Amino acid sequence: MAEPGPTRVLLTEEGPALISGPVELELPDGTRVRSDRAVTAVCHCRRSKRYPICDASHRRKVRQEGPDA
Amino acid sequence: MTATLEPNFLQQVAAPDLPAPRGPLSEAVVEALRGGPLRPVDPAGAEPYGDDLQLALHCCYELHYRGFAGVDAEREWDPEVLGLRRELERVFLAALRADVEPGENVPAEVDALLVEPVGPGVRGVSHHLQREGTLEQLREYVAHRSIYHLKEADPQAWAIPRLNGAAKAGLVTVEHDEYGSGRPERMHALLFAEMMTELGLSDAYGAYVEHVPGETLAEVNLMSLCGLHRSLRGASVGQFAMVELTSSPGSERLVRGMRRLECGPASIRFYDEHVEADAVHEQVVRRGVLAPLLEAEPELAADVVFGIRASLFLGERMGERLLGCWDRGETSLRMPLAPGRP
């Protein structure tokens, strides 16, 4: 649904930029990625395996070794 | 795709049959719903997470969703059934309150959920299915999950009228996405049904209730319990937050497991969709639901933490059931699945 006023983009501290409404993202090579979600999380940390869409790869990871490690 | 005579999932209206009882409590509920008198039973002392009590609760709750074949829809508000449901809920809730450490620090709880354990020492169903699980184990996992995913987002929808302002708008934003953002063909429940069909499983609502143990029913019963009680709306939001905050990495592991097992496109699509969807939902739940809810009603913090920890607790019990059975080379279901179609 169209919101009155400009498109809102929320830049989060730890992860993606959140963009309201459907968006089309164009990458440097001309590839276009479309998202119809009410909110789209655009990767800002470049760690996403689905760049430019956030896949939560920005999360802190804690390694747990196996019993025989 | 093979042609099928079954109506597709979106056209299904038939209610499931009442399940076979697993003890005196579920027998009392099933008998009453078949039209007999409600035999007096005392849930006190019953195993709170056991098959009998959880199936009895499941049957009581299903009256609020799709009901059962041959059971009058008005039984949803039968005071006798509701009275027994209340007693079953008291036993379940008291056990959860005793087994779950209380807390009030929601931001710390959320931060803990956002740390992703990795490496060979992590024990979990999605880790197992990513690394080494068999196709049969994956099919079992999907059968367990079908109890929730064929009504995905429904239990949390009960919370909508129980919230106000920004928290309500935030919850609806996520729920709207779960229901396909106005496009029925994108409803997550339908994507799940399509995966089931591709894996040779029945996508009929409730088809695997007879197969799944109390551990599986308990997870979904917690959602219904918290959704149907306004007094537990904080816990409902906590439960919802737990799912949305942890689902993205778990879904990625399942996608990898399914690719390893050479599953078809519908199977991969369901979890693939959840990697991206839940990366967004995590953000909306934290900023759009939890933050405004706790600003408006800070006294709900302890219930939010309870919802998070209770769903983690039940999730771990279910995970242990699956991994324990698989370690022993057994099925994690009460009876084996029919062989999948080639």
Side-chain angles (χ1 to χ4, degrees):
Chain A
M1 211 175 299
E3 285 187 8
T7 303
R8 192 195 315 156
V9 179
L10 177 68
L11 303 175
T12 67
E13 272 176 27
E14 78 293 358
L18 306 179
I19 305 179
S20 304
V23 288
E24 190 173 82
L25 305 161
E26 188 174 318
L27 300 180
D29 66 359
T31 314
R32 290 182 184 187
V33 178
R34 193 185 152 87
S35 168
D36 294 332
R37 294 184 196 287
V39 180
T40 297
V42 179
C43 174
H44 246 200
C45 70
R46 295 273 182 161
R47 274 176 285 184
S48 175
K49 292 172 218 54
R50 291 150 194 264
Y51 188 83
I53 304 293
C54 171
D55 71 351
S57 287
H58 55 269
R59 287 188 187 179
R60 198 158 65 82
K61 295 180 177 61
V62 174
R63 190 166 174 81
Q64 293 181 9
E65 297 301 337
D68 49 0
Chain B
M1 295 293 277
T2 47
T4 170
L5 296 174
E6 300 289 316
N8 84 37
F9 180 74
L10 293 179
Q11 297 162 329
Q12 283 178 20
V13 285
D17 292 327
L18 279 164
R22 300 182 197 174
L25 300 172
S26 50
E27 188 168 18
V29 173
V30 168
E31 286 299 307
L33 294 179
R34 283 195 202 288
L38 181 65
R39 198 173 339 131
V41 281
D42 185 7
E47 165 51 46
Y49 312 124
D51 271 65
D52 186 30
L53 186 140
Q54 292 299 329
L55 183 67
L57 257 185
H58 170 85
C59 291
C60 293
Y61 288 142
E62 278 306 311
L63 298 173
H64 301 283
Y65 296 101
R66 294 220 192 171
F68 293 101
V71 176
D72 186 341
E74 274 298 326
R75 299 301 295 281
E76 180 184 1
W77 299 108
D78 180 329
E80 284 197 319
V81 177
L82 289 171
L84 176 55
R85 188 188 104 191
R86 191 74 197 104
E87 290 178 49
L88 299 168
E89 287 175 332
R90 283 203 181 103
V91 175
F92 184 32
L93 198 52
L96 287 172
R97 295 264 189 216
D99 284 329
V100 169
E101 191 82 23
E104 292 186 359
N105 190 341
V106 175
E109 208 69 13
V110 167
D111 285 348
L113 289 179
L114 294 178
V115 176
E116 192 58 28
V118 292
V122 186
R123 184 172 162 90
V125 173
S126 62
H127 301 83
H128 171 78
L129 290 173
Q130 178 189 344
R131 293 190 286 238
E132 60 200 346
T134 65
L135 181 60
E136 228 11 67
Q137 291 170 346
L138 174 74
R139 292 175 78 241
E140 286 188 15
Y141 176 73
V142 169
H144 284 281
R145 287 292 181 211
S146 69
I147 309 303
Y148 170 61
H149 284 299
L150 291 182
K151 58 170 179 258
E152 184 163 342
D154 288 351
Q156 295 79 23
W158 303 118
I160 295 170
R162 303 162 194 279
L163 302 177
N164 286 311
K168 179 191 293 221
L171 184 73
V172 170
T173 299
V174 179
E175 289 279 283
H176 184 58
D177 206 28
E178 306 279 3
Y179 289 127
S181 301
R183 298 181 199 191
E185 72 277 8
R186 290 194 190 175
M187 289 179 72
H188 287 179
L190 173 69
L191 301 185
F192 195 87
E194 289 171 344
M195 169 171 65
M196 295 187 82
T197 307
E198 191 176 76
L199 290 169
L201 297 166
S202 167
D203 68 352
Y205 186 90
Y208 293 102
V209 168
E210 299 277 21
H211 288 73
V212 303
E215 287 92 334
T216 305
L217 297 173
E219 265 203 309
V220 189
N221 284 340
L222 174 70
M223 300 179 193
S224 300
L225 167 71
C226 297
L228 287 166
H229 287 261
R230 198 180 78 83
S231 62
L232 289 171
R233 64 194 184 284
S236 180
V237 170
Q239 181 277 323
F240 190 52
M242 197 288 290
V243 173
E244 299 296 343
L245 265 57
T246 56
S247 141
S248 195
S251 296
E252 176 67 32
R253 287 189 285 274
L254 290 167
V255 167
R256 290 178 188 204
M258 287 179 157
R259 291 216 167 101
R260 177 179 62 78
L261 293 166
E262 298 178 346
C263 293
S267 305
I268 290 169
R269 186 182 176 203
F270 177 81
Y271 287 107
D272 201 52
E273 155 69 11
H274 281 73
V275 175
E276 284 182 23
D278 292 339
V280 178
H281 295 176
E282 169 212 319
Q283 301 287 343
V284 179
V285 164
R286 286 164 56 205
R287 296 157 200 281
V289 182
L290 288 174
L293 177 71
L294 293 172
E295 199 181 315
E297 300 187 89
E299 67 280 7
L300 292 183
D303 275 347
V304 172
V305 172
F306 172 70
I308 291 172
R309 292 187 179 179
S311 52
L312 279 172
F313 171 77
L314 292 175
E316 278 166 21
R317 287 188 89 253
M318 181 189 159
E320 273 311 310
R321 156 94 188 199
L322 270 64
L323 293 173
C325 289
W326 293 343
D327 282 348
R328 295 189 296 274
E330 298 165 5
T331 172
S332 63
L333 298 166
R334 298 176 65 245
M335 58 190 97
L337 292 168
R341 284 197 305 261

